[in-house]
Amino acid sequence: MPNSPDINRPEQYERLLALSAMTTWTAARQQEHAADADAYAAALAALQSGLRSQHVEGDGRWSATRRARKVEKHLRKAVKASRTQERAMEALRTTYADHVRYVAALPGQREERRRAKEAKKAGPRQSVATAAAKSLHKTAAASVAPATETPAADAPAVPAPARGINELWKRGA
């Protein structure tokens, strides 16, 4: 297609990829849409005033207003569309800023995921070694229990808790 314009030339869009340029550009578009909406609203007010004051012989109480609304609705749509575009430019600016932050954080997230994956792969071997070390540590701590206090002679002897139903039967409980 030799007559079609080349819309994918980098020089046309690369300047917008900078966050500051995108912010400036969207703010300018937002101001334009706000100015357009204000101009449409002013035109609507003037048109409303003029059309609603056109009374024809034999009109009812709201006849002029009903006639005027048929014309006013199109200008109201223009005001609404300008306000919508103004909000769309704000949404574009904030979404692009979020996108830039997200893209900047991706390498760190990917590195973190890679490390987690490697740890998970090494997990079975490493978890067995960790479990054995914990078990040995608990055993060593239990076998060399520190002598805290000697039980007093007047304290009642508390039997060790039963480990099963057979011990309960042997104790006669």
Side-chain angles (χ1 to χ4, degrees):
M1 300 177 81
N3 293 335
S4 65
D6 186 13
I7 59 170
N8 290 324
R9 291 191 316 231
E11 60 271 4
Q12 289 181 342
Y13 60 84
E14 276 183 348
R15 70 178 186 83
L16 282 178
L17 294 179
L19 184 57
S20 60
M22 177 65 83
T23 300
T24 304
W25 184 79
T26 55
R29 299 296 78 71
Q30 194 174 1
Q31 288 172 352
E32 285 178 16
H33 292 303
D36 288 346
D38 292 341
Y40 296 149
L44 176 64
L47 190 68
Q48 255 180 352
S49 175
L51 291 176
R52 290 182 181 196
S53 65
Q54 291 178 344
H55 291 283
V56 179
E57 187 79 30
D59 271 354
R61 180 177 175 111
W62 300 105
S63 297
T65 304
R66 279 197 315 270
R67 277 193 309 267
R69 283 186 179 168
K70 291 178 184 177
V71 178
E72 293 168 6
K73 73 179 180 181
H74 298 288
L75 206 45
R76 276 198 188 98
K77 283 183 183 179
V79 172
K80 185 177 179 181
S82 289
R83 297 285 182 217
T84 302
Q85 282 303 109
E86 185 181 354
R87 287 190 300 274
M89 288 295 107
E90 176 66 23
L92 173 63
R93 180 172 53 225
T94 57
T95 304
Y96 186 69
D98 291 344
H99 173 76
V100 168
R101 279 192 294 277
Y102 175 76
V103 169
L106 274 178
Q109 291 174 352
R110 288 181 179 153
E111 180 63 26
E112 186 177 318
R113 283 192 200 127
R114 185 188 61 76
R115 275 194 238 116
K117 187 176 177 181
E118 287 175 357
K120 188 176 179 181
K121 272 183 151 179
R125 291 178 296 231
Q126 195 172 12
S127 63
V128 169
T130 305
K134 281 183 182 179
S135 176
L136 287 174
H137 179 68
K138 286 180 181 179
T139 304
S143 64
V144 185
T148 54
E149 294 181 10
T150 56
D154 56 340
V158 178
R163 293 179 56 181
I165 191 78
N166 288 337
E167 277 191 35
L168 287 174
W169 281 103
K170 286 179 188 174
R171 290 183 189 171

